[in-house]
Amino acid sequence: MNGRIITLLALYMFCMVGQAKSQKQSQFVQQELQPAVFALSGIMMHDVVSPCIASRYYMYGTIGSYALLEANDKTVVGPVALISHFPKEQMAFKHSDIHVVHLAALFCIYEAGMQFLPSGTELSEKYIDVQKRSVKAGFKSTQIADAKKLAHAMAQHIWQYSAGDGYKFLSAFPKYRPQRKPGHWFPTPPAYMDAADPNWHTMRPLIIDSSAQFRSRQPVAFDSVAGSHFMQLTREVYTTTQNLTAAQREIAGFWDCNPFVVATAGHMSLGFKKISPGGHWMNITCIGAREKGLDFQQTVMALGIEAITLYDAFIVCWKEKYATDRVRPETVINQYIDLNWTPLLQTPPF
């Protein structure tokens, strides 16, 4: 009888230890997810990546993690199910240990970042540190080795898939030349930079049918005559900026996602690097997932869906920007209202 009790207690203790270890592993991958995404943002800020290109990097940086979950959990609706041209083979990415799959999904963000980002090799040190911390979190060396192998294979899989998205052909398009006509876009001060990514609409979309699927209503026709509808809207912009409240300035600063701002002083120019719109939203997704108490799998799914959406949205948005070729308020205000007016946030080059 005593032997049975001891055996039962031993089994109970074994199960409790295993459960604690499993919980520790789950907590580890969860808490490491947002820093991994932000690590991508840090490299993009260093490289001064444009908003459009950043959306591509975030998509490829997270879609592999999303695809790993889909390959190992039938309840996950992921890239294979959502994207018609996404490669269907999944058998190579299956693993019997769900903790290995989750660790691989975390590792895949670093693997993809090192593969896609121009300065991606800068992520290697952070990647090694994450692997070291995973040992302290209770992962066995065999689990870590399997996760690294799985993550690397998926990153290579995504790299091959990316070859058909049209990115490599963008540099072959003729240089964009602004129309020197009233009402059309023209480079803005202080740097007068070239138009950003004018041919981004040619990129292969993911879920939408084409870059022209969602078109906006035509903007108010340009009219420089005082009192016209166009000039009324322009006056509203000008007047609002003359009386900004502290709250309005704070809100504007929060949404300031221009990746590269130039400040001039005499003959000296200084460049300031900031996060892109896509990076801002990816971080908001991480914060929202944490506040809602989402687990690792749910958070990866949210990030994957966010990244896919951002990527397609930029294709549609950039199609509309260059189809309408809209003049910026700064150009109109400087020409017709106030030569010395500057916006609160520097006008980006599109």
Side-chain angles (χ1 to χ4, degrees), residues 243-255 344:
N243 304 283
L244 291 173
T245 65
Q248 286 174 319
R249 290 178 179 275
E250 187 173 346
I251 291 169
F254 178 83
W255 291 110
L344 177 63

Side-chain angles (χ1 to χ4, degrees), residues 14-333:
F14 179 79
C15 291
M16 291 299 292
V17 169
Q19 185 177 356
K21 182 179 179 181
S22 177
Q23 187 176 9
K24 188 176 181 181
Q25 291 175 336
S26 297
Q27 290 174 344
F28 171 77
V29 292
Q30 175 71 11
Q31 68 187 21
E32 290 285 346
L33 193 52
Q34 184 174 10
V37 174
F38 199 76
L40 299 181
S41 299
I43 299 298
M44 287 188 227
M45 283 192 285
H46 172 273
D47 290 342
V48 191
V49 175
S50 75
C52 291
I53 298 175
S55 74
R56 179 178 184 263
Y57 291 155
Y58 282 118
M59 185 269 290
Y60 287 129
T62 57
I63 200 172
S65 302
Y66 193 12
L68 279 171
L69 297 185
E70 184 180 25
N72 289 276
D73 189 337
K74 293 180 180 179
T75 67
V76 175
V77 179
V80 172
L82 296 173
I83 305 167
S84 62
H85 47 71
F86 194 83
K88 303 301 179 185
E89 56 267 24
Q90 291 182 286
M91 291 302 298
F93 306 110
K94 291 185 178 294
H95 199 283
S96 58
D97 187 343
I98 192 61
H99 292 295
V100 169
V101 173
H102 286 181
L103 188 61
L106 173 65
F107 286 174
C108 192
I109 295 174
Y110 290 97
E111 289 278 0
M114 291 189 291
Q115 185 79 266
F116 281 90
L117 298 174
S119 299
T121 53
E122 298 294 322
L123 289 169
S124 59
E125 188 173 335
K126 291 182 181 294
Y127 187 26
I128 292 171
D129 287 342
V130 171
Q131 294 172 38
K132 290 178 180 178
R133 290 197 294 274
S134 67
V135 175
K136 296 180 180 179
F139 283 96
K140 297 177 182 179
S141 59
T142 52
Q143 288 179 304
I144 296 171
D146 283 356
K148 286 176 61 179
K149 183 178 179 181
L150 201 57
H152 182 73
M154 178 56 79
Q156 291 295 318
H157 184 62
I158 297 300
W159 175 258
Q160 293 171 7
Y161 169 63
S162 73
D165 68 6
Y167 183 71
K168 61 185 177 183
F169 300 116
L170 292 179
S171 60
F173 284 95
K175 183 178 175 63
Y176 179 82
R177 297 185 181 279
Q179 297 189 52
R180 294 178 175 273
K181 299 177 182 178
H184 290 269
W185 181 85
F186 199 76
T188 50
Y192 295 96
M193 289 187 280
D194 288 341
D197 305 309
N199 300 297
W200 195 255
H201 67 279
T202 64
M203 293 289 289
R204 176 184 63 190
L206 298 177
I207 296 178
I208 60 174
D209 297 331
S210 72
S211 61
Q213 184 176 354
F214 300 99
R215 300 302 302 273
S216 69
R217 290 177 296 177
Q218 285 297 305
V220 173
F222 174 79
D223 187 345
S224 60
V225 175
S228 67
H229 190 184
F230 181 89
M231 290 306 294
Q232 287 177 11
L233 294 173
T234 306
R235 276 282 178 185
E236 182 181 355
V237 174
Y238 178 72
T239 303
T240 300
T241 59
Q242 307 304 305
N243 304 283
L244 291 173
T245 65
Q248 286 174 319
R249 290 178 179 275
E250 187 173 346
I251 291 169
F254 178 83
W255 291 110
D256 184 5
C257 303
N258 188 349
F260 191 67
V261 171
V262 177
T264 59
H267 295 289
M268 182 174 66
S269 294
L270 296 175
F272 296 91
K273 302 176 182 181
K274 289 179 289 187
I275 201 168
S276 71
H280 198 158
W281 278 105
M282 292 297 284
N283 201 45
I284 288 173
T285 302
C286 288
I287 294 171
R290 185 176 67 243
E291 291 182 348
K292 290 294 183 182
L294 302 189
D295 60 22
F296 176 80
Q297 182 157 299
Q298 291 170 325
T299 305
V300 170
M301 291 173 64
L303 287 168
I305 293 169
E306 175 69 36
I308 289 170
T309 304
L310 280 170
Y311 176 80
D312 271 0
F314 269 100
I315 291 175
V316 172
C317 182
W318 251 245
K319 168 72 172 179
E320 199 66 18
K321 282 182 181 293
Y322 290 94
T324 56
D325 194 26
R326 189 67 159 176
V327 67
R328 297 310 302 261
E330 183 170 13
T331 303
V332 181
I333 293 172

